Amino acid sequence: MGRLLRRRRKSEGTAAPEVDLRSEQGVRTAYQAHGPELYRFALRQLGDEIAAQDAVQETFLRAWRAGDRFDPDLASLRVWLFAIARNVLLDELRRAGRRPVPVPPEENDRSRNSLARGGVDEQVMRSWLVEEALQRIGQEHRAALVETYLRGRPYAEVAAEQDIPVGTLRSRLFYGLKALRVVMDEMGVRE
C-alpha cells in the first residue's frame, strides 16, 4: 500500500512542473485534471451548484494569480489547488455568515457527528494536507509526531522505543510542530 501511495505521489510530482499556471493553457490543463473533483468538493461543502461553480472559478483565478508561488517541491498541484479551494470555501462561508450545523449532544457516534457538521470533506482534506506536510519535515521529527500525536502513544513508551531520553522526544515534538507549521504555511493552509 505504501509503495502505491509513493508511486502516486511521484506521478503527481512529475506532472506538476509541466503545468505553468501563469499561462492560459496551464490553467486549462490544471482545470481539466482537477476541476471536476474541486467542484464536487465545493458542492458538498456549499450545497449549491452555482456557488460551487463560483468557488471553483475563484480557486483557479487565485491559482493563476499566485502561479509563480506554486512549488511542486512543497506540494503536488492537486494538494495546492485543494488548499486554495479550502480557503475560498471558508471565505465564502464567512461572507455568507454561515456556521456549521450544531450537533445534538445525544449523538456520540463520530461518523454521524462529522456528517452532521459537514466535516467529512474537511477531515479528508486536512488529512491529505497533513500527510503532505509530514513528508516535508525531518524523519526524526516526523516519527515523534506520528507516534505521539497521531497514534496517541505515551512519551515514555515512544522514547524507549526510539532509544532516546523523554526530554529529547519532547524537543523533537516541539521543533517538529514548528517545522510542520512552517510547511503548512508555505502550502497556503490558513486557519
Side-chain angles (χ1 to χ4, degrees):
M1 179 88 169
R3 288 182 189 155
L4 179 63
L5 289 174
R6 275 188 237 119
R7 283 187 194 144
R8 180 194 279 166
R9 279 193 205 108
K10 286 181 183 176
S11 67
E12 286 178 358
T14 56
E18 297 173 9
V19 176
D20 180 12
L21 292 172
R22 294 170 291 187
S23 72
E24 184 177 334
Q25 184 57 41
V27 173
R28 277 192 189 137
T29 302
Y31 180 81
Q32 289 171 347
H34 305 290
E37 190 175 11
L38 288 167
Y39 171 75
R40 288 189 300 271
F41 175 66
L43 183 60
R44 281 191 301 268
Q45 296 299 314
L46 299 173
D48 179 359
E49 290 180 12
I50 305 255
Q53 290 171 0
D54 289 345
V56 172
Q57 182 177 4
E58 179 66 21
T59 298
F60 281 97
L61 180 63
R62 289 184 188 184
W64 173 70
R65 286 180 181 155
D68 58 332
R69 291 188 300 221
F70 171 64
D71 184 355
D73 293 332
L74 293 177
S76 67
L77 177 61
R78 181 174 183 268
V79 168
W80 191 66
L81 288 171
F82 267 92
I84 293 171
R86 177 182 175 269
N87 292 334
V88 167
L89 293 173
L90 287 173
D91 291 346
E92 174 58 27
L93 291 171
R94 285 182 191 125
R95 185 191 64 72
R98 295 190 207 167
R99 299 279 183 231
V101 177
V103 179
E106 62 271 3
E107 289 189 26
N108 292 326
D109 182 5
R110 280 185 174 177
S111 62
R112 290 179 66 192
N113 282 343
S114 62
L115 283 173
R117 288 191 303 264
V120 172
D121 292 331
E122 180 70 23
Q123 290 172 351
V124 170
M125 184 64 200
R126 186 171 299 274
S127 68
W128 286 340
L129 292 171
V130 169
E131 181 182 349
E132 187 78 25
L134 281 169
Q135 296 303 317
R136 310 282 181 212
I137 65 173
Q139 199 281 328
E140 290 177 340
H141 295 125
R142 179 175 51 248
L145 290 170
V146 167
E147 293 302 321
T148 57
Y149 286 108
L150 298 180
R151 294 192 176 142
R153 295 179 59 203
Y155 288 5
E157 183 180 308
V158 174
E161 183 179 281
Q162 294 182 2
D163 197 28
I164 58 173
V166 173
T168 302
L169 178 67
R170 289 180 188 269
S171 177
R172 288 180 183 176
L173 289 169
F174 176 79
Y175 289 108
L177 284 172
K178 281 183 84 170
L180 195 61
R181 283 186 195 111
V182 168
V183 169
M184 297 285 276
D185 188 47
E186 289 172 350
M187 292 170 60
V189 178
R190 295 186 314 199
E191 279 304 316

